Amino acid sequence: MSPRFVSSLILALTAAGLAGPAFGDSSLGGFLHNRTAYIPPQCYTRTLDDAGRAHNPCFTCHLRARRPNFINDPDLQLSYAFPGPALSNPWSNLFEDRRRRVAAIGDEEILSYIRTSNYQAPDGSLILADRLADVPPGWDVDGDGTWGGYTPDCHFRFDDAGFDIAADGTPTGWRAFAYTPLPGSFSPASGSTDDVLIRLPEAYRQNASGEPDQAIYEINLAVVEALIARRDVGIAPADEEGLGVDLDRDGSLGTAEKVVFDWAPLKGRDMSYVGRAKKLQEEGKAPLAAGLFPLGTEFLHTVRYVDVDDAGEVRMAARLKELRYMRKTAWQTYADLEDGALEEIKEDHDFPDRVSLFDGNREVGIANGTGWRLQGFIEDRDGTLRPQSFEETVFCIGCHGGIGVNDDSTLAFARKLEKPFGGWFHWSRHGLRGIPDPKRPDGSSEYARYLAENGAGDEFRDNAEIIQAFIGEDGEPDEAALAAMTEDLATILYPSRARALALNKAYRTIVMDQDFVKGRDANLAPAVNVHREVEIDEETGIREPVARW
């Protein structure tokens, strides 16, 4: 189903208290400031430099997708295909000069600030969860006295397998995994550290008798990984006869040490979950398909400041900029997803200036049109976390609402590491240091290709540290620097101590202004390589799109 819902649906949801007006959230008293908040600031990048050379950062997101993502959009590398209301760049924070305000914030002041958690109290209790237990009236959209959205329940206390454990020793179901960040502006080099956790529904964490079973949960997570990554996934030795599933697809029920990806139902080949989820799958209540997460899958994503010690080593900050959450609330088949993509193409053709509409509000989140509901909390002026407004959440749809790089509306899990620790660890245990540059199918390195196509380390081409370290005077990548990066992505993704502190200060000024609807990128100076206005279908100057990663 396309996120462009018909007006009658929006009006019906509004009447039911589940949505704001077509372009806004009545609970926040008005309409959207930016009707196209789902188009990210990076899409306004000026790809042609003063010498007429084209830079292509666009292929990070817009490319030929893997089924069942039917949004094949490498053509968006070639032109600014915006609807009429988006031709004027609404992200005015990109052009604000923050240098004087940044200089007024001391190093120790910002370090003290980012090293103070706004998620957990000193006693380990969850600050936001406690506040939501007695929900403030301004957050209670439907006025029923209770919080109807996600209540934070992750304690960020991880065992050696990456599972989160509550203070009382109870597993929360959340499991941290490490992944290679997508090339572009979302990395420590541009001012943010982050992590992602996954949780499958309770049935996937239980054995056939309905009892909690971590070994079963680990196997089901491996099945999901195989389905999303479309490859075999190693597991601890498992008794297939006891599970009733031929996990390694060798034709017999023995001891499996891997989950083999072999999903071709039209050819009689299928895969199966284990434990209670296997029974539900057989009953048609737990559908399984390559490239799709199980119904009820949850993701938790924290976006944080960049902490850095005296020696210059980067790590995750205690303070959160954002807490992002998404849950799969509806199952869509391949046919459903293809119909939605075709509907989107037809609507873009017939009504090129029509903007997308979304249902939801800041309490229950926003549906993205492909079965997921997104919700978020963001830093308030005083440093606490508050629910995102409707408009601030629409912003999230830009990356999770239908672009070629998505796998079932997500970005990180398909890029999960296989080692160390099987990729199941939190960044607080092991950072990016020593993580290699991923290989593309053609054997080339991913970040090296990005540098070659873009001539910079981010869309805005304003990270001078990366340009000086990796790009030669001829505009081509430096081979020696690339060689070091091949075995250690930290060489490109970790900023210097001075840059990290400056980026933290720049973002702090956005928090104090509370004007996220104008952009939340922590630029250190007014953006130069960004359009303030674009023409209808203006060409980017890129002649040959990069079709695949």
Side-chain angles (χ1 to χ4, degrees):
M1 183 176 180
S2 167
R4 296 183 174 180
F5 299 101
V6 296
S7 298
S8 58
L9 175 59
I10 295 292
L11 293 173
L13 290 165
T14 302
L18 295 177
F23 299 114
D25 187 338
S26 59
S27 68
L28 295 176
F31 294 89
L32 294 184
H33 297 84
N34 174 10
R35 293 171 59 191
T36 56
Y38 55 90
I39 299 177
Q42 287 75 15
C43 290
Y44 289 90
T45 293
R46 184 166 65 91
T47 50
L48 287 176
D49 61 24
D50 292 338
R53 177 181 176 180
H55 300 258
N56 185 1
C58 313
F59 75 101
T60 293
C61 296
H62 303 298
L63 37 67
R64 186 168 297 282
R66 295 193 296 181
R67 298 178 67 200
N69 181 359
F70 296 94
I71 305 294
N72 295 306
D73 56 4
D75 56 298
L76 294 184
Q77 299 173 37
L78 307 180
S79 68
Y80 300 93
F82 296 159
L87 296 177
S88 180
N89 187 346
W91 305 108
S92 57
N93 274 349
L94 289 171
F95 307 108
E96 184 172 335
D97 191 341
R98 305 178 185 279
R99 284 174 287 194
R100 182 174 297 179
R101 297 176 68 187
V102 167
I105 303 174
D107 290 354
E108 293 305 316
E109 177 185 351
I110 195 65
L111 284 172
S112 175
Y113 182 75
I114 69 169
R115 290 172 178 172
T116 303
S117 177
N118 54 354
Y119 182 83
Q120 286 180 293
D123 64 1
S125 61
L126 306 184
I127 298 171
L128 188 54
D130 290 343
R131 193 172 185 191
L132 290 171
D134 184 18
V135 58
W139 298 3
D140 185 15
V141 176
D142 58 13
D144 66 352
T146 61
W147 176 251
Y150 168 67
T151 297
D153 59 349
C154 180
H155 291 257
F156 291 92
R157 300 173 69 251
F158 301 105
D159 64 15
D160 290 341
F163 288 101
D164 178 56
I165 309 297
D168 61 3
T170 305
T172 65
W174 289 111
R175 194 179 192 188
F177 62 91
Y179 49 91
T180 307
L182 271 175
S185 293
F186 198 90
S187 75
S190 293
S192 293
T193 56
D194 72 325
D195 56 10
V196 183
L197 298 88
I198 187 173
R199 179 165 64 185
L200 300 185
E202 190 174 34
Y204 296 78
R205 299 177 252 150
Q206 298 174 336
N207 60 25
S209 300
E211 301 165 334
D213 191 316
Q214 181 168 307
I216 291 291
Y217 191 17
E218 289 182 6
I219 293 173
N220 280 329
L221 282 167
V223 173
V224 172
E225 183 176 353
L227 291 168
I228 298 300
R230 285 83 154 180
R231 58 171 170 76
D232 300 349
V233 176
I235 56 174
D239 175 18
E240 292 180 318
E241 186 170 0
L243 296 171
V245 177
D246 183 11
L247 294 169
D248 59 13
R249 310 296 290 171
D250 66 353
S252 63
L253 297 180
T255 299
E257 297 187 358
K258 62 181 177 180
V259 172
V260 169
F261 175 67
D262 186 26
W263 189 81
L266 295 180
K267 298 180 180 180
R269 302 199 308 271
D270 209 342
M271 298 172 65
S272 175
Y273 297 118
V274 298
R276 183 172 165 230
K278 175 178 181 292
K279 180 180 180 182
L280 293 178
Q281 182 182 347
E282 292 168 348
E283 295 172 352
K285 299 176 182 177
L288 175 153
L292 297 177
F293 290 98
L295 184 63
T297 298
E298 299 169 277
F299 282 99
L300 195 64
H301 179 203
T302 75
V303 183
R304 307 174 183 232
Y305 289 85
V306 181
D307 199 353
V308 58
D309 62 23
D310 292 339
E313 190 62 23
V314 168
R315 58 195 178 202
M316 298 188 70
R319 180 171 294 276
L320 273 59
K321 295 179 176 181
E322 300 177 45
L323 179 67
R324 300 174 174 178
Y325 172 79
M326 60 188 296
R327 182 173 182 269
K328 190 166 188 175
T329 58
W331 179 265
Q332 295 197 7
T333 66
Y334 277 33
D336 294 332
L337 293 166
E338 186 171 23
D339 284 348
L342 292 173
E343 177 188 343
E344 193 82 8
I345 292 171
K346 184 178 188 303
E347 187 160 341
D348 283 342
H349 177 271
D350 294 346
F351 307 99
D353 288 335
R354 182 176 290 177
V355 301
S356 295
L357 306 179
F358 306 91
D359 77 279
N361 58 50
R362 62 176 172 178
E363 184 173 3
V364 301
I366 294 178
N368 76 339
T370 59
W372 295 85
R373 186 163 288 272
L374 282 66
Q375 187 179 7
F377 303 87
I378 200 164
E379 199 177 1
D380 211 340
R381 182 175 285 106
D382 62 1
T384 60
L385 292 170
R386 62 164 176 80
Q388 286 192 147
S389 69
F390 180 87
E391 181 167 348
E392 290 164 346
T393 307
V394 168
F395 171 83
C396 302
I397 301 295
C399 292
H400 298 284
I403 51 177
V405 73
N406 283 164
D407 281 282
D408 200 2
S409 297
T410 70
L411 297 167
F413 198 73
R415 301 175 62 81
K416 177 182 170 293
L417 300 178
E418 296 182 68
K419 58 183 180 180
F421 318 120
W424 292 109
F425 64 91
H426 188 255
W427 292 120
S428 57
R429 181 183 185 189
H430 185 295
L432 283 166
R433 187 73 65 190
I435 301 298
D437 189 359
K439 294 294 184 182
R440 291 164 45 84
D442 62 5
S444 63
S445 296
E446 184 174 273
Y447 272 77
R449 178 64 181 273
Y450 183 83
L451 288 168
E453 294 287 342
N454 189 35
D458 65 303
E459 291 90 344
F460 302 139
R461 305 196 305 281
D462 63 2
N463 187 333
E465 288 187 349
I466 290 179
I467 293 174
Q468 292 170 5
F470 288 90
I471 306 298
E473 293 183 0
D474 59 356
E476 298 298 324
D478 180 88
E479 294 300 324
L482 291 183
M485 182 186 68
T486 298
E487 302 301 325
D488 187 2
L489 277 178
T491 61
I492 189 171
L493 295 181
Y494 280 178
S496 68
R497 188 173 191 274
R499 178 173 171 82
L501 294 179
L503 289 167
N504 288 333
K505 296 172 187 179
Y507 187 82
R508 177 69 179 128
T509 67
I510 300 174
V511 172
M512 289 188 285
D513 293 343
Q514 286 293 290
D515 58 354
F516 301 110
V517 295
K518 298 179 181 179
R520 53 185 86 174
D521 294 282
N523 49 303
L524 299 180
V528 174
N529 299 312
V530 178
H531 288 291
R532 292 179 182 266
E533 304 276 346
V534 295
E535 301 295 329
I536 296 175
D537 293 326
E538 180 178 338
E539 294 185 353
T540 62
I542 299 165
R543 299 304 175 196
E544 187 66 31
V546 179
R548 295 183 183 274
W549 263 116

